[in-house]
Structures are given as structure tokens and as C-alpha cells.
Amino acid sequence: MSAAEAAKATAAGSGGPDAMPDWEKRFRAPRVSLPDWAEDAPQRSLFVSNATGTYELYAWDRTTGAQRQVTDRPNGTTDGALSPDGEWIWWFNDKDGDEFGVWLRQPFGGGPDEPAVPGLDASYPSGLALGRDGRTVVVGRSTDDDGSTIHVVHPDGTGPVEVYRHRESAGVGDLSHDGTLIAVEHTEHGDAMHSALRVIRPDGSTVAELDDTEGGTVELGLEVLGFAPVDGDSRLLIGHQRRGRWEPLVWDVATGEESDLALGLPGDVSAEWYPDGSALLIAHGFEARGELFRYDLASGELDRIETPAGSVSGATARPDGAVEYMWSSAAEPPVVRSTAGGVVLDPPGMKAPKSVPVEDVWVDGPGGRIHALVQRPAGSSGPLPTIFEVHGGPTWHDSDSFAAGPAAWVDHGYAVVRVNYRGSTGYGRAWTDALKHRVGLIELEDIAAVREWAVTSGLADPDRLILAGGSWGGYLTLLGLGTQPDAWAVGLAAVPVADYVTAYHDEMEALKAMDRTLLGGTPEEVPERFRASSPLTYVDEVKAPVYISAGVNDPRCPIRQIDNYVDRLAARGAVHEVYRYDAGHGSLVVDERIKQVALELEFAARHVGAPA
């Protein structure tokens, strides 16, 4: 039975967990997210789980242990928030993954959904902040027609009142503890990769501005991490890049005083407040691993919080001082743990089988040393059929964390290589910001350098190399197949950018702003750059069989531009397959995810031969 047939059979209920292959178990095993909790009712929590086979929101009363499913939609739901008093659960209601919709809310204990902010039309979400008084609401919105707007519902129920509007991208960062200050991240300067900050009052008047510039051009980013959790406290925790990487500082927006926190950690640092405002929970990421610290604001002491080696993908400090965190490694499935001891949430059902650990590889590239993560079947020796699984973003990076997709390829006898190319986060501002103007081509230079290492080291069979990825990784896959046609035996592109010009015109407004930043203008202003970076330009050079999967409701990599690319492949009889599914930028349905991986495995085996 093929991988696709096995997936279809098990999805239909034939066979049980004992008959199910390990790669499928990793997708089906119940998972939970790091629970959010209500600030003034910390016993009430909200989390995401795939327990029903679709990722949905769940409410959890820690006092009674009771859990209930909050949302139930065919294509799943993951965007939600708890009101600070714990009385309401807010969730974003889009249509089949198109990311365009309105906020609804329902009582924590259950009941009918109702419009959360009557009077606001559908939009793309751009931040949400809920006041502790149970009435103040700050909603960020984005539409193609209006650009970015921010609206306030006041404690007396008046509103929503528009307090901010700009053509460029902006969003709600946070609302102060007493509801008198709103932090806004904006890119009014036109650089969508580096936000500036503005703090406004609920009437829209400005309190303070912070804009990191070099030579009059915004080149350093700022981000809102949160107001101090104390009434009347005007301290805002923010992230900055002034020393070439992300680090936190405390900005008193009333006085303008900045308290720099030079922690001496080598990687990117983020932070959040402990609930009493006396300390910060520090998250440090370095060379694809993560760790946690507690920083005491009074003494300046930085104490490490013990976590296993691997990646921490989220953490929160509870009122009792315990820290809950989501941890995994490439070999070990994710788990929510607490420094108070034990596992916070352990869903019943089958457990995800382990995979193999990653090996770190550093390769000299045209822009500096490139970090790659390699997994290979246990006990195997090269050369192996090898898949280069390229991450999306591009402002993202692969880490030593558990991923069911790469593990599936290892189970089937492939080596897996993941490259943190220039443009990736986690390696300093210069590495991330190197991705300008020669978009796509820069990343592929780094992937080519690691490919050369994989072949010369004996890891990879040069005749059975697969280039694959989703979103930006899917874009790089199609671009790589056209610009490096002799390097790859197969290409697997999920939800890709395929025709950059059409993608720009059809995509959501926030991504248009990002593309203008990356390429230096619109397709009409810099046509040669869009042409050089578009996979459609090189489609006639593609030699390898191409598999493309696409969500028909995708607002990020819309379907029309993919159809344009596929039509060009078909016109010259190129070997290709296309799979379209009824969702947006990926699927929240477990059966759908399994089906897509099975189809990719089957396509690869058909064209490079099944590994031994």
C-alpha cells in the first residue's frame, strides 16, 4: 500500500494505532499549545488542540479540571484570546482560512457566540487588546481599501471609535494595565521590516514616539513586548536591535527614560513581565536552540531557569512564580512543562513517536557561515536521497524543535537538510537584513553552498536531491528549480509564490508592504527586480518534476498566480502535478495534513526511487 493509500485508509478508520506508521502517528497524536490564562482569573485558561482531528480552541478551568471545546469549524480555529477577567473568550471568525473576518466572543462557561465589536466590518486582524475593566477594547484592522486602522470601544460602551489610520502597516501592540495608554507598532516610514513605536491615549492623542534610525533612514526595528502589569505604571517593555540583535529595554513613556538591559547573551532575546512587575522572564535563542532566564529588575541578577537542551517555543510566568513553557527537540515531541514540576497539560490518547536528533553543520557561504540542521535515518550511511526542506518566512528560522514533516521523510529513508539562509532570523540583524533587492536569489546562493557540502561530504546522492518547502520555502523551491535546473531531481512546493507580479497584486495589504520593502518598490516602480525574483521568469528552464499544493482561499500566496505558473508548465508538457484544497495558507485539519505529506512522499518516490 502506498503512503497516500495508507493515509486514506487510516483516515477512514481502517486499522488502529498499532497498524499506523510512526510518521502518521506524529500528526495524529493529540497536541496542545501553551495555555494562555486570564490576568485577573489565572485559574481560567485557553489553549489550542487537535484532539478532534482539527485544531480548535479549548477552555480549561484549572480549579475543577474541566475542559471544553470552544470552537468547531470545518477548517479549524487558532486565533483566540481571554478577557483579563476570564469571563469571555474572543476568537477570530474568518472564512475557510482566508484570514478575513470579524471577532466573535462567547462566555467562558459556554453559550452562544456574539459579535464582539458590533459596527466593525470584516478585515484582516492587526492586533487586539482587552481592558481589565471588561469593557475597553482596542482592535487593529487592515484592509486593501483602508490600509491600517485602530479602533477603541470605551468603558462607557461608546464606539468603536477610530483613533488611528495610515496607508502603511500598523497594529495594536498593547493596552496599559489601567487602560489609559495604547502602544502601536507602525511602519509609516515605509519599511515594513522595521517598525517604529507610538503610544497614544484612547482618544487618539499622542503621548510618546520612538523611532530608531540610522542616517535618517529607518533600519533598526522596534517591537512592543508589553506594558508593566501595574496600575498607573507607564513603563513599556520593548525589543530593539541597537546592538545588532533583538534585546529588551524598559521605556517609561511618561518621562522618556530608557533602561537598557545589557544581558550579555549572544543571541536574540525577548522578554515578558512577571505578574507583579518585579522581574522579567527572558527567552534567549541562539544557534537554533532556546533557553529561559529570570531577570530581577531591582538587583539586575540574571538567573537561568533549567530547561532541557532543545527549543522553547513559548513561556509564561504564573502568579505563583512558576514558569510554564512549551519545549521540544528534533528527537522529542513537544510538551508543556512547569518549573513547579511535571507536565501542565498531557492530552489522552496515543503519544507521538520520537524521531532522530539533528546534527549541526556550518558551511562557508558567499555572505558568511551558514548554519544547517541535518537529520538522517538511524544507522544509515551515505550517499542518501536527500530533501532540502526550506523554511518559510523569510523572517523565520529552523530550530532544534520537533517537526512531524521532516521526521516523516527520515522514516522513509531520506536525509533531511534545513538551511537557515540569509534572511533568516536568529543570527543577528545583518543576516536577516541581507535579504534586499535580489530577493530569492540570495537565499538560493546559501542553499547551493550547503548542497555542495551535502554532496562532497558523502551525505547526499547528487542524483536524488529534492528541493522542497512551504510558503516562502515553496517560493524558493520554484525559483531554485528554474535558476538551478541541474541541481535538483524533484521539486515540492506548498502554497508558494510562483508569479511574483500577480502575487503582489492579489495578496493581502500587509504582504504588499513587505514586498515593497524587500524589492524597493512596486512591480511598476522596479519591474526588473520583480522579474529577476519571480519563478515565472525561469519556468521554461525547469527540468525536474514539480509537485505543487495550494489552498484556494490563500490570501498570502493567492491561487491565481499559482495557476499562471502551472499553465506555463502545462504548455510545454513539463512533468508536474497540482493539488488544490479548500483552505487558506495551509490546513488546520489533521487528515488534510497527512494526505498532503503522503502525496509528496509518493511523488518523490515515483521520480527518485524509493529509498532502501
Side-chain angles (χ1 to χ4, degrees):
M1 182 180 291
S2 72
E5 290 168 336
K8 183 177 180 180
T10 51
S14 64
D18 292 341
M20 193 181 297
D22 280 356
W23 74 267
E24 186 179 337
K25 289 180 184 177
R26 296 191 189 96
F27 285 93
R28 293 200 183 278
R31 290 192 181 188
V32 295
S33 67
L34 179 70
D36 190 13
W37 51 274
E39 184 177 0
D40 296 326
Q43 76 279 7
R44 293 188 167 185
S45 288
L46 183 69
F47 64 92
V48 175
S49 177
N50 66 341
T52 64
T54 301
Y55 284 86
E56 296 285 4
L57 294 169
Y58 288 77
W60 175 31
D61 187 321
R62 295 177 185 238
T63 302
T64 65
Q67 298 178 8
R68 72 172 185 88
Q69 185 175 340
V70 175
T71 54
D72 184 8
R73 302 195 301 158
N75 282 304
T77 314
T78 58
D79 291 342
L82 267 174
S83 60
D85 60 9
E87 293 298 319
W88 293 94
I89 295 170
W90 288 54
W91 61 275
F92 192 74
N93 183 32
D94 66 347
K95 183 180 179 182
D96 296 328
D98 67 359
E99 302 181 42
F100 194 83
V102 297
W103 287 99
L104 301 181
R105 68 175 191 170
Q106 78 174 243
F108 183 85
D113 295 310
E114 63 181 43
V117 190
L120 285 185
D121 294 332
S123 68
Y124 298 110
S126 190
L128 174 71
L130 305 176
R132 294 178 62 242
D133 57 15
R135 297 182 298 276
T136 304
V137 178
V138 187
V139 180
R141 303 170 66 251
S142 172
T143 68
D144 292 343
D145 293 334
D146 297 334
S148 301
T149 59
I150 295 175
H151 305 258
V152 175
V153 177
H154 295 286
D156 62 4
T158 58
V161 178
E162 183 180 300
V163 297
Y164 178 92
R165 176 182 290 259
H166 200 276
R167 185 71 249 167
E168 297 291 346
S169 297
V172 178
D174 197 19
L175 177 67
S176 65
H177 204 249
D178 57 11
T180 62
L181 300 169
I182 302 167
V184 176
E185 294 183 0
H186 70 83
T187 59
E188 294 174 6
H189 44 69
D191 183 347
M193 292 183 67
H194 303 97
S195 294
L197 304 182
R198 179 175 300 143
V199 177
I200 61 176
R201 300 179 183 89
D203 63 5
S205 60
T206 298
V207 175
E209 303 255 14
L210 196 59
D211 187 349
D212 279 5
T213 62
E214 288 183 350
T217 301
V218 174
E219 296 180 359
L220 301 178
L222 297 168
E223 63 177 348
V224 173
L225 300 177
F227 278 106
V230 180
D231 274 345
D233 196 327
S234 57
R235 293 177 299 165
L236 179 63
L237 184 64
I238 68 173
H240 70 90
Q241 296 180 303
R242 296 172 184 175
R243 284 184 287 265
R245 61 187 183 277
W246 284 108
E247 297 177 279
L249 68 78
V250 177
W251 175 33
D252 190 322
V253 302
T255 66
E257 180 184 0
E258 298 179 14
S259 300
D260 188 14
L261 308 178
L263 303 179
L265 299 172
D268 284 341
V269 177
S270 186
E272 70 169 49
W273 298 93
Y274 270 74
D276 62 1
S278 66
L280 301 177
L281 176 60
I282 301 294
H284 175 231
F286 184 60
E287 296 183 352
R289 274 83 181 178
E291 56 184 347
L292 299 174
F293 296 85
R294 182 185 186 277
Y295 179 77
D296 188 280
L297 288 164
S299 68
E301 292 183 2
L302 183 68
D303 298 316
R304 191 176 188 280
I305 297 171
E306 290 302 320
T307 58
S311 292
V312 177
S313 57
T316 184
R318 296 275 295 166
D320 62 1
V323 173
E324 296 177 353
Y325 60 96
M326 174 69 79
W327 175 89
S328 73
S329 70
E332 299 281 346
V335 62
V336 180
R337 294 180 172 176
S338 171
T339 57
V343 175
V344 176
L345 273 176
D346 188 13
M350 77 173 91
K351 304 302 179 186
K354 297 180 180 181
S355 186
V356 298
V358 295
E359 308 165 28
D360 293 272
V361 172
W362 292 88
V363 176
D364 290 333
R369 295 177 72 226
I370 308 161
H371 190 196
L373 302 175
V374 178
Q375 291 173 278
R376 66 183 86 199
S380 64
S381 59
L384 298 168
T386 299
I387 180 170
F388 275 65
E389 187 76 45
V390 184
H391 72 72
T395 49
W396 190 254
H397 66 272
D398 282 314
S399 62
D400 182 9
S401 59
F402 195 79
W409 289 95
V410 173
D411 283 2
H412 284 79
Y414 296 84
V416 178
V417 179
R418 292 179 284 169
V419 181
N420 285 329
Y421 49 74
R422 278 172 291 169
S424 303
T425 56
Y427 300 86
R429 179 175 63 90
W431 191 258
T432 302
D433 288 358
L435 185 56
K436 288 285 182 71
H437 298 177
R438 294 181 60 250
V439 173
L441 305 173
I442 291 172
E443 304 96 295
L444 287 169
E445 290 174 351
D446 292 348
I447 292 169
V450 178
R451 177 196 178 280
E452 179 66 17
W453 165 84
V455 172
T456 58
S457 69
L459 170 71
D461 181 341
D463 296 323
R464 294 198 289 172
L465 283 168
I466 301 168
L467 186 60
S471 189
W472 197 264
Y475 158 65
L476 293 177
T477 294
L478 296 184
L479 189 64
L481 295 180
T483 60
Q484 303 168 355
D486 296 319
W488 308 103
V490 169
L492 310 171
V495 291
V497 173
D499 169 1
Y500 217 141
V501 173
T502 302
Y504 176 86
H505 289 300
D506 289 358
E507 68 194 3
M508 57 202 301
E509 184 60 37
L511 294 186
K512 291 180 182 178
M514 176 62 77
D515 285 337
R516 290 194 297 271
T517 295
L518 290 173
L519 290 156
T522 68
E524 292 72 31
E525 293 166 341
V526 288
E528 71 288 348
R529 291 178 185 169
F530 274 84
R531 189 180 307 111
S533 292
S534 179
L536 189 65
T537 302
Y538 312 98
V539 65
D540 291 338
E541 306 302 319
V542 172
K543 298 179 180 179
V546 186
Y547 173 87
I548 298 173
S549 59
V552 297
N553 305 312
D554 191 345
R556 298 173 180 268
C557 299
I559 195 69
R560 185 168 72 106
Q561 51 93 28
I562 293 174
D563 289 341
N564 291 346
Y565 185 90
V566 171
D567 288 347
R568 288 281 296 275
L569 288 175
R572 66 183 186 89
V575 179
H576 71 284
E577 289 184 14
V578 183
Y579 173 68
R580 297 174 177 86
Y581 56 95
D582 186 20
H585 199 61
S587 177
L588 298 176
V589 179
V590 173
D591 282 347
E592 180 61 44
R593 292 185 177 188
I594 291 170
K595 179 180 180 180
Q596 291 181 27
V597 172
L599 290 170
E600 289 184 350
L601 287 164
E602 190 172 70
F603 187 86
R606 199 185 322 144
H607 293 287
V608 301

